[in-house]
Amino acid sequence: MELTIYLAGQIHDDWRNEIRKKAEKEKLPINFVSPQENHALSDDIGEKILGEQPSKVYRDDAASSINNFRTRVLLQKSDAVIAYFGESYKQWNTAMDAGAAIQAGKPLILVRPESLIHPLKELSNQADVTVETLDQALEVLTYLYE
Amino acid sequence: MELTIYLAGQIHDDWRNEIRKKAEKEKLPINFVSPQENHALSDDIGEKILGEQPSKVYRDDAASSINNFRTRVLLQKSDAVIAYFGESYKQWNTAMDAGAAIQAGKPLILVRPESLIHPLKELSNQADVTVETLDQALEVLTYLYE
Amino acid sequence: MELTIYLAGQIHDDWRNEIRKKAEKEKLPINFVSPQENHALSDDIGEKILGEQPSKVYRDDAASSINNFRTRVLLQKSDAVIAYFGESYKQWNTAMDAGAAIQAGKPLILVRPESLIHPLKELSNQADVTVETLDQALEVLTYLYE
Amino acid sequence: MELTIYLAGQIHDDWRNEIRKKAEKEKLPINFVSPQENHALSDDIGEKILGEQPSKVYRDDAASSINNFRTRVLLQKSDAVIAYFGESYKQWNTAMDAGAAIQAGKPLILVRPESLIHPLKELSNQADVTVETLDQALEVLTYLYE
Amino acid sequence: MELTIYLAGQIHDDWRNEIRKKAEKEKLPINFVSPQENHALSDDIGEKILGEQPSKVYRDDAASSINNFRTRVLLQKSDAVIAYFGESYKQWNTAMDAGAAIQAGKPLILVRPESLIHPLKELSNQADVTVETLDQALEVLTYLYE
Amino acid sequence: MELTIYLAGQIHDDWRNEIRKKAEKEKLPINFVSPQENHALSDDIGEKILGEQPSKVYRDDAASSINNFRTRVLLQKSDAVIAYFGESYKQWNTAMDAGAAIQAGKPLILVRPESLIHPLKELSNQADVTVETLDQALEVLTYLYE
Amino acid sequence: MELTIYLAGQIHDDWRNEIRKKAEKEKLPINFVSPQENHALSDDIGEKILGEQPSKVYRDDAASSINNFRTRVLLQKSDAVIAYFGESYKQWNTAMDAGAAIQAGKPLILVRPESLIHPLKELSNQADVTVETLDQALEVLTYLYE
Amino acid sequence: MELTIYLAGQIHDDWRNEIRKKAEKEKLPINFVSPQENHALSDDIGEKILGEQPSKVYRDDAASSINNFRTRVLLQKSDAVIAYFGESYKQWNTAMDAGAAIQAGKPLILVRPESLIHPLKELSNQADVTVETLDQALEVLTYLYE
């Protein structure tokens, strides 16, 4: 059974490719989808398509509309969601995507370090599974095929 | 027409009562509901009901399950949601509630200061209305009755 | 049985009040809700709440976000929708609201003059009832209580 | 990941084939679906299948029922919708399809020339992305695969 | 707890008023709603509102659109449905309403005489409760309050 | 685009195979599904699987539960429904399936002879398309691919 | 804010009235609904309404259809569910109602003694809140009003 | 037509493989999915992924969250559900899964021995089909392809 998993989280480092490689190594028939992982492109995409905007605010607004479109299309195609929180960045998109996934009935794995237990306790409580590392999240996915 | 509005956001200061007072002054037939606004009670409620827990993590987990129950019951009774972000605190619950509201089709007003435009651009883009102050949010509600 | 009916359509003349008066005269227990009927206010509401915007486009965008919020809140509270088309104005909001009502399962009465039969044939075909005058629409509502 | 995109809009010129060709050239794995693009056939289909109707009104009604059936089947199979407005024609079907797409949770790209910003401001505000040209809409789709 | 019950079935005799009287006698807080029970009015309502139609077929079509509007509004307001079949008439509306109620998740009581067990076996199997008389259906409703 | 179409209607003659053959001849990529078309098997299936039942009523009940299971599984897999009424048999299952299809948002083609216009006027009015012959229904399906 | 709470669980003793009394004492504006609490009546209701059945199996089937009708009507009217497990009885209805509540998005409080932690671990994990006593469940409800 | 069937029930013996073998022998194009069938692994999976837990209760909680995640992903991919009850074990998960399947609109086959007719009468009444043996359940699935 092939599955599609949406990887919600920050786009400042290469964590998604690590998951992809490990899943490939274990030959899991999983298709991982994600927001735009090229951060610069993600910020530029509004002006790249719509042309220069009057100010930074409108530049952000243009980019976010296209990034949201991408997220909604891919999230709707997904069978489950991994939401990954780290110690840097505000990560409000991650929390918003997790809330949307819960409400849409998409099974959710929350990944967060021990240091974030307190501020993420409500989200953890609503997630289907909470783990501390990406490797553990992958083990949960592997378990679907055991 | 009476409406019920859920007020998502931090529970460290008295912002909800300000909204309630102003709405009352304008005689808006609106019933505002919210998470537990007594912060200490919100943190203690798990052990208060379930007894002492083995560690801080489990204390948090117990409290959050009861707080989530409250949020879900009240959010489902609401006709719209106000999500208020300020410059302090992680506010991941606020983002999660906003994501849930969007996905559930609850009309959403986002309130955030100018300084948070960039990190909240995706959420702002999905909200029905984005404003910068609570007074503006109240004006949007007032407009429903004009 | 009290009902709430959303009145979709242009806001350039007083057609909604005519319906309200006639319904009141017939003592129908119906609560009519609507978009903002004060056209100037409807156009100004964005800048009125959010302050001056950088250009007419952004002024329009600000106003429309607040008008959409109003429409969504009220449409969700409604038991049925009347969509009224006349010979003037583009009325794309009316068509969009009608499409949303159909998709949301809200029973829909389409009101349109004979001259618009051809361009509205698909919408008419999806509406529950199509009539030519507001008086006929009101007769359909009256029939609910006979 | 293959996607199906519904192309809502007028059927008087060849705009859909332009999109199809460009998408093919970029090797996007997208299947575009649409209302009947042969305008004469679209108007005739009712009488073609059901035989001559008593008047033009009934001829229109017969055709529209079959065109609506087509739209509903294909819209339900789609992952997202492009709604394209130009300066000619009433295009109420386009607005109705856009409203239905929004309500059904289908991500929506609105395409409209600068001249239509004001009358389409509410629809633009509810769309996920608004652009001015079909090429821009295609760039948004391309971005899903980047 | 007040309940609203939709009474689906033929409109050739006075069976609904019998139920209403008995429920009133037992002081059940139930509001019964129904299709138009005045058969002549039900057939005439299309032409009464829309004027004379070109033929009997179009007269029927006009009436049925208004009757369907009524049924949809009232069915959506109902907490449960009674579908009553007798030995006369085709009663396809009753079967269609029962199918709609089942699919919409409205609890359904089927009332049918012993002679109709075979042709209604699939519908009976999908109904929540099947009884043979209207008195029995009323006893089921009474049981909700015991 | 492959489609699955559910063929609701009586199971006393071979009408479904006629449709299948014609569709195959036109090379339409359509998979037709249906209730059990072997009438004797359809009546016997309960006792065949569950063993002899205490009476004809229970024999019918056992069979109908298995036939309903089949219908629900296949209807949920379908993209659209054809409901075919003829002049014989009570056909309440057909009407119930049509009601369920409408409520579930499955596009519906109603096929009924001219003689049944009056008793099926409400169902016709709610169907997406109404035609008089199976050949016409097939032409509607063919139109999806034109 | 008035709430309706469904009390799922065995009907062999008086636990629901204890909850009702305590809630009344604390003046909580909560309306508690439940399956039939008179056990004998619950078992007899099928034959009481439908007359004697051919065997105990059919007697059970008749009763359960009416009890299920009651449960579905009342569960749909509820804002949240309490599912109470004790050490006696199979309580499969309780587990089924809990599963239905979770799937329907009704917030759920699970009450179970310490001795049942292991067999109810999956249900506990899906419930919003798990407590060990009815008094604790009532405290959770009280917290909604604090 | 390929189907996916979820097999809910205890995981103490090899009943699922029997079904799989028989289905394979009959060349049914059915993909059976299930909870973790390795009972020891099912109990250990929490600590295996998350490390040692502070007590048996937390060990259970960790395991159940991962088992629930698996169930939710697979149940959502399924076209129908078989819930199998035997005379041993509490089987509350089976009842909860059955309740969730009914509420989610997944067609349900209940398998239970004659000795469990009374305690499972409500669940049986809500299931689409009730049979006494796994072979009978397989015959029902076979019937889908006849």
Side-chain angles (χ1 to χ4, degrees), chain A residues 49-62:
Chain A
I49 292 180
L50 293 164
E52 204 179 340
Q53 300 296 305
S55 77
K56 206 175 160 319
V57 171
Y58 295 106
R59 172 182 144 90
D60 274 358
D61 192 49

Side-chain angles (χ1 to χ4, degrees), chain F residues 12-97:
Chain F
H12 297 78
D13 64 46
D14 205 33
W15 65 274
R16 287 179 186 82
N17 279 338
E18 280 181 56
I19 285 195
R20 285 194 184 95
K21 273 182 213 158
K22 284 173 183 167
E24 208 171 327
K25 205 171 143 192
E26 302 214 25
K27 300 194 178 166
L28 298 178
I30 293 178
N31 178 27
F32 292 98
V33 293
S34 65
Q36 179 53 252
E37 295 169 59
N38 178 334
H39 195 174
L41 178 56
S42 165
D43 277 357
D44 292 345
I45 189 64
E47 294 199 331
K48 198 162 162 250
I49 292 180
L50 292 165
E52 203 179 342
Q53 300 296 307
S55 77
K56 206 177 160 319
V57 171
Y58 295 105
R59 173 182 143 91
D60 274 358
D61 192 48
S64 67
S65 75
I66 296 167
N67 285 316
N68 277 339
F69 176 79
R70 179 183 172 119
T71 296
R72 288 191 68 213
V73 170
L74 298 180
L75 198 59
Q76 291 187 4
K77 301 289 276 188
S78 298
D79 298 303
V81 174
I82 291 177
Y84 171 49
F85 283 83
E87 294 185 349
S88 309
Y89 319 112
K90 293 208 185 297
Q91 302 168 295
W92 283 328
N93 283 354
T94 316
M96 173 180 69
D97 289 350

Side-chain angles (χ1 to χ4, degrees), chain A:
Chain A
M1 175 175 282
E2 289 193 20
L3 294 172
T4 300
I5 308 286
Y6 187 83
L7 299 172
Q10 48 85 358
I11 57 173
H12 297 79
D13 63 46
D14 205 33
W15 66 273
R16 287 179 186 81
N17 279 338
E18 281 182 55
I19 285 195
R20 285 196 184 92
K21 273 182 215 158
K22 285 174 184 168
E24 209 170 326
K25 206 170 141 194
E26 302 215 23
K27 301 194 177 166
L28 298 178
I30 293 177
N31 178 29
F32 293 97
V33 293
S34 66
Q36 179 52 251
E37 294 168 59
N38 178 335
H39 196 176
L41 177 56
S42 165
D43 276 357
D44 291 347
I45 188 66
E47 294 198 330
K48 198 162 163 248
I49 292 180
L50 293 164
E52 204 179 340
Q53 300 296 305
S55 77
K56 206 175 160 319
V57 171
Y58 295 106
R59 172 182 144 90
D60 274 358
D61 192 49
S64 67
S65 75
I66 296 167
N67 286 316
N68 278 339
F69 176 78
R70 178 183 171 120
T71 295
R72 287 190 68 212
V73 170
L74 297 181
L75 198 59
Q76 291 187 5
K77 301 289 276 189
S78 298
D79 298 304
V81 173
I82 291 177
Y84 171 49
F85 284 83
E87 294 186 349
S88 310
Y89 318 113
K90 295 206 184 299
Q91 302 168 294
W92 285 328
N93 283 355
T94 316
M96 173 179 71
D97 288 350
I102 290 164
Q103 183 64 38
K106 304 277 181 190
L108 175 69
I109 301 173
L110 174 67
V111 187
R112 52 108 186 83
E114 203 184 341
S115 56
L116 295 180
I117 288 178
H118 187 71
L120 283 170
K121 63 185 186 297
E122 275 82 15
L123 213 161
S124 170
N125 191 273
Q126 289 197 34
D128 292 77
V129 181
T130 300
V131 297
E132 296 197 358
T133 69
L134 290 167
D135 279 357
Q136 290 172 331
L138 198 65
E139 286 179 71
V140 175
L141 294 181
T142 305
Y143 182 71
L144 293 174
Y145 294 99
E146 272 166 359

Side-chain angles (χ1 to χ4, degrees), chain E residues 11-102:
Chain E
I11 57 173
H12 296 79
D13 63 47
D14 205 32
W15 65 273
R16 287 179 186 82
N17 279 338
E18 280 181 55
I19 286 194
R20 286 196 185 93
K21 274 182 213 157
K22 285 174 182 167
E24 209 170 328
K25 205 171 142 193
E26 302 215 22
K27 302 195 176 166
L28 298 179
I30 293 177
N31 177 27
F32 292 98
V33 293
S34 66
Q36 179 52 253
E37 294 169 61
N38 177 334
H39 196 176
L41 176 57
S42 165
D43 276 357
D44 290 347
I45 188 67
E47 294 199 329
K48 196 161 163 251
I49 292 180
L50 293 163
E52 202 178 344
Q53 300 296 306
S55 78
K56 203 175 162 319
V57 171
Y58 296 105
R59 171 182 145 89
D60 274 358
D61 192 50
S64 68
S65 75
I66 295 166
N67 285 314
N68 278 338
F69 176 78
R70 177 183 172 118
T71 295
R72 288 190 68 214
V73 170
L74 297 180
L75 198 58
Q76 291 186 5
K77 301 289 275 188
S78 299
D79 299 303
V81 174
I82 291 177
Y84 171 49
F85 283 83
E87 294 186 348
S88 309
Y89 318 113
K90 292 205 185 299
Q91 303 168 292
W92 285 328
N93 283 355
T94 316
M96 173 179 70
D97 288 350
I102 291 163

Side-chain angles (χ1 to χ4, degrees), chain H residues 15-28 32 133-136 138-139 142:
Chain H
W15 66 273
R16 288 179 185 81
N17 279 337
E18 281 181 56
I19 285 195
R20 286 196 183 93
K21 274 182 213 157
K22 285 173 183 166
E24 207 170 328
K25 205 170 142 193
E26 302 215 22
K27 302 194 176 167
L28 297 179
F32 292 98
T133 68
L134 290 167
D135 280 356
Q136 289 172 330
L138 198 66
E139 286 179 70
T142 305

